[in-house]
Amino acid sequence: MKRYMEYIEVISNRFSNTSMSCILFFDGACRGNPGPMAIGVVLMKNGKKLDEISKRLGTGTNNIAEWSALIEGLKLAIAHGCRELEVRGDSQLVIKQISGQYRVKSDNLIPLFNDAKKLCGNFKEIDFKWIKREDNARTDTLSNVALDMKIREK
């Protein structure tokens, strides 16, 4: 637990120059492509962890897992009343697609993109930034824990 709190402090400090009060970290994981999927989400407000998600989703692709993590994270931020949100993820594809730098061409991703864009309308201000994988370690751990738990249940 102490190590986790130190991690949160380091990540908070790294992004403390933000004017936003809420920061959302998201990640999706997939074992095989397609294969079992899971998500990890961490929501922070004013440098403190508000909530997190570690959840198994079923079977799909890594891109579906990443988009699903973003969607669940946006829903979590809405539920916690965040009006200004910085979204951080290590999926360059999702970050560039949601911010309009890349078009979404895949038929199975278009509905996820549309859902995410609709959720973005709930925020007064929203910003998306790509971060390095090592800066997103907690969400990666959360998604992998969800995958591991399902495997142990069999």
Side-chain angles (χ1 to χ4, degrees):
M1 183 67 167
K2 181 180 177 192
R3 191 168 174 216
Y4 169 68
M5 295 312 290
E6 289 170 357
Y7 165 80
I8 291 294
E9 185 176 339
V10 167
I11 292 299
S12 295
N13 290 338
R14 189 168 294 163
F15 298 107
S16 64
N17 62 349
T18 177
S19 64
M20 307 281 188
S21 63
C22 294
I23 302 174
L24 174 69
F25 294 88
F26 74 95
D27 195 23
C30 190
R31 300 244 171 100
N33 206 19
M37 299 183 300
I39 61 169
V41 174
V42 175
L43 179 64
M44 300 178 67
K45 185 170 186 171
N46 299 324
K48 302 214 183 296
K49 184 185 82 153
L50 271 182
D51 209 346
E52 62 183 28
I53 298 171
S54 178
K55 181 176 170 183
R56 172 80 179 238
L57 298 179
T59 302
T61 66
N62 191 64
N63 287 338
I64 291 172
E66 294 282 1
W67 275 104
S68 298
L70 173 59
I71 289 166
E72 290 301 312
L74 292 171
K75 289 177 183 178
L76 185 66
I78 292 165
H80 279 280
C82 296
R83 298 293 299 138
E84 297 176 339
L85 184 66
E86 285 201 12
V87 179
R88 304 280 177 253
D90 60 27
S91 170
Q92 260 189 353
L93 180 70
V94 171
I95 295 296
K96 289 189 178 213
Q97 286 177 329
I98 194 68
S99 60
Q101 295 172 19
Y102 289 173
R103 276 187 36 232
V104 180
K105 298 176 186 174
S106 178
D107 288 340
N108 62 339
L109 298 181
I110 291 171
L112 298 170
F113 169 80
N114 290 336
D115 289 348
K117 281 306 252 187
K118 191 178 295 183
L119 290 167
C120 289
N122 288 280
F123 301 96
K124 179 179 155 192
E125 191 174 342
I126 190 166
D127 185 34
F128 297 92
K129 292 195 176 156
W130 174 81
I131 59 174
K132 295 178 184 176
R133 186 175 191 159
E134 59 265 19
D135 292 334
N136 210 20
R138 178 65 185 158
T139 58
D140 181 67
T141 298
L142 290 169
S143 57
N144 280 293
V145 163
L147 284 172
D148 292 342
M149 292 299 284
K150 186 64 175 180
I151 290 168
R152 286 187 205 131
E153 290 172 6
K154 288 184 177 179

